[in-house]
């Protein structure tokens, strides 16, 4: 005789999911994560440029414009990263200047 | 990386226009070719471009990922089916019994105009790309 296994209530699962999501969101919005994302963006873009330059120099690709686009991308992600670092340092200095 | 994604749209345009330029070069190079692998004279080739992704997919993607991906791609290369040019040249090895040779239907004037158009479109894509980049750079100057 086939016995159907007891199913978990769907409604409870949904509740768990939403509570997970809010905690994820809080993590996503922390400054540390934004900073890490910017750094990883830059590292990824730089790796891509290195690979493109290598391929171009050994004659494997002739994709000049995509190389230039990737160069610009890495340049801009470095700019973004530097701006974030400056803002963080500014905030730190501001706090250090507080009179006690 | 989404703030840099919009550069890829212009990138796809650049790739498409360069490919088009390749096909135009092939047409010009084969302007006198009377023999091809498929037999008969060379036929002029044209590039058909299509936009990537239909509107519905883009909308759904935009609502879920906040990422717009678009651009252009080469969908196919078609051959110009217009008549070959008949040239009277009895000494030519491919001449028929009346002394006429079927020459490719490539018109150098048409190819030159196509070439200029491809070049201008390439330029326009580069301008769009630079403007996108300048906008991002300006955004980083907020509060400076």
């Amino acid at each position: 005789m086939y016995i159907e296994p007891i199913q978990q209530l769907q409604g409870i699962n949904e509740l768990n999911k939403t509570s997970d999501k809010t905690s994820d969101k809080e993590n996503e919005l922390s400054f540390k994560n934004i900073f890490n994302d910017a750094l990883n963006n830059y590292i990824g873009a730089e790796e891509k440029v290195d690979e493109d330059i290598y391929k171009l120099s050994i004659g494997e690709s002739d994709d000049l414009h995509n190389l230039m686009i990737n160069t610009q991308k890495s340049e801009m992600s470095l700019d973004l990263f530097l701006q974030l670092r400056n803002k963080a340092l500014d905030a730190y200095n501001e706090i250090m200047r507080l009179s006690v | 990386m989404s703030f840099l994604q919009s550069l890829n749209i212009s990138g796809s345009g650049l790739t498409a226009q360069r490919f088009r330029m390749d096909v135009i070069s092939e047409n010009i190079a084969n302007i006198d070719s009377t023999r091809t692998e498929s037999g008969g004279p060379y036929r002029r080739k044209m590039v058909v471009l299509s936009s990537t992704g239909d509107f519905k997919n883009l909308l759904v993607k935009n609502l879920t990922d906040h990422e717009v991906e678009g651009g252009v791609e080469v969908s196919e290369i078609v051959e110009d089916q217009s008549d070959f040019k008949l040239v009277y040249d009895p000494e030519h090895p491919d001449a028929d019994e009346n002394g006429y040779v079927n020459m490719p239907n490539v018109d150098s004037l048409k190819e030159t105009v196509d070439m200029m158009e491809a070049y201008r479109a390439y330029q326009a894509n580069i301008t769009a790309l630079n403007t996108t980049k300048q906008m991002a750079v300006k955004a980083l100057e907020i509060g400076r």
Side-chain angles (χ1 to χ4, degrees):
Chain A
M1 190 177 76
Y2 177 71
I3 301 172
E4 211 171 289
I6 299 168
Q7 299 285 329
Q8 209 180 350
L9 277 180
Q10 284 299 318
I12 292 170
N13 268 338
E14 293 301 312
L15 278 178
N16 282 337
K17 264 180 203 161
T18 47
S19 60
D20 275 355
K21 249 181 201 167
T22 46
S23 60
D24 274 354
K25 229 173 204 171
E26 274 163 16
N27 284 336
E28 266 171 30
L29 287 177
S30 80
F31 183 76
K32 187 186 152 198
N33 280 348
I34 295 173
F35 200 67
N36 275 337
D37 275 356
L39 184 61
N40 286 336
N41 254 353
Y42 171 63
I43 293 171
E46 194 58 33
E47 272 170 2
K48 227 182 201 172
V49 171
D50 283 347
E51 197 189 312
D52 277 3
I53 290 176
Y54 175 71
K55 272 188 181 164
L56 199 77
S57 54
I58 63 168
E60 205 177 277
S61 90
D62 57 348
D63 222 356
L64 262 182
H65 56 258
N66 279 330
L67 167 75
M68 291 309 287
I69 290 172
N70 287 337
T71 323
Q72 294 300 315
K73 273 185 187 174
S74 89
E75 219 178 281
M76 274 175 4
S77 40
L78 180 65
D79 276 355
L80 175 71
F81 174 68
L82 288 179
Q83 286 296 323
L84 280 173
R85 186 205 61 174
N86 291 346
K87 292 283 171 237
L89 281 179
D90 282 353
Y92 175 74
N93 284 334
E94 202 68 39
I95 290 166
M96 288 304 281
R97 254 184 264 133
L98 278 179
S99 52
V100 220
Chain B
M1 203 83 166
S2 66
F3 90 106
L4 296 172
Q5 280 301 329
S6 44
L7 292 180
N8 292 345
I9 301 174
S10 299
S12 75
L14 290 171
T15 309
Q17 293 303 330
R18 209 198 51 190
F19 186 78
R20 208 175 133 202
M21 193 60 223
D22 286 350
V23 171
I24 294 168
S25 307
E26 203 194 335
N27 285 341
I28 293 175
N30 282 301
I31 201 161
D32 284 326
S33 306
T34 49
R35 291 169 193 178
T36 51
E37 269 178 35
S38 51
Y42 177 83
R43 272 193 188 279
R44 175 173 171 253
K45 289 183 175 54
M46 289 178 292
V47 175
V48 181
L49 302 176
S50 68
S51 95
T52 53
D54 57 327
F55 179 73
K56 194 183 151 204
N57 284 345
L58 281 182
L59 186 70
V60 170
K61 225 179 184 171
N62 207 1
L63 287 175
T64 50
D65 299 347
H66 299 285
E67 227 173 69
V68 186
E69 269 187 74
V72 64
E73 64 180 0
V74 177
S75 57
E76 57 175 334
I77 300 177
V78 291
E79 290 191 329
D80 188 348
Q81 294 301 324
S82 61
D83 292 338
F84 292 122
K85 280 187 280 184
L86 273 183
V87 174
Y88 184 69
D89 187 2
E91 274 79 48
H92 198 287
D94 292 326
D96 61 7
E97 62 270 17
N98 298 321
Y100 281 97
V101 188
N102 270 324
M103 288 305 237
N105 53 356
V106 179
D107 184 358
S108 64
L109 188 69
K110 225 187 240 173
E111 297 308 319
T112 311
V113 174
D114 277 355
M115 203 160 67
M116 285 162 73
E117 204 195 315
Y119 175 55
R120 294 288 177 210
Y122 195 86
Q123 253 181 346
N125 274 304
I126 288 181
T127 309
L129 188 128
N130 279 335
T131 312
T132 314
K133 195 200 111 190
Q134 275 163 19
M135 273 168 74
V137 170
K138 279 286 160 203
L140 288 177
E141 282 176 22
I142 291 175
R144 211 181 255 180

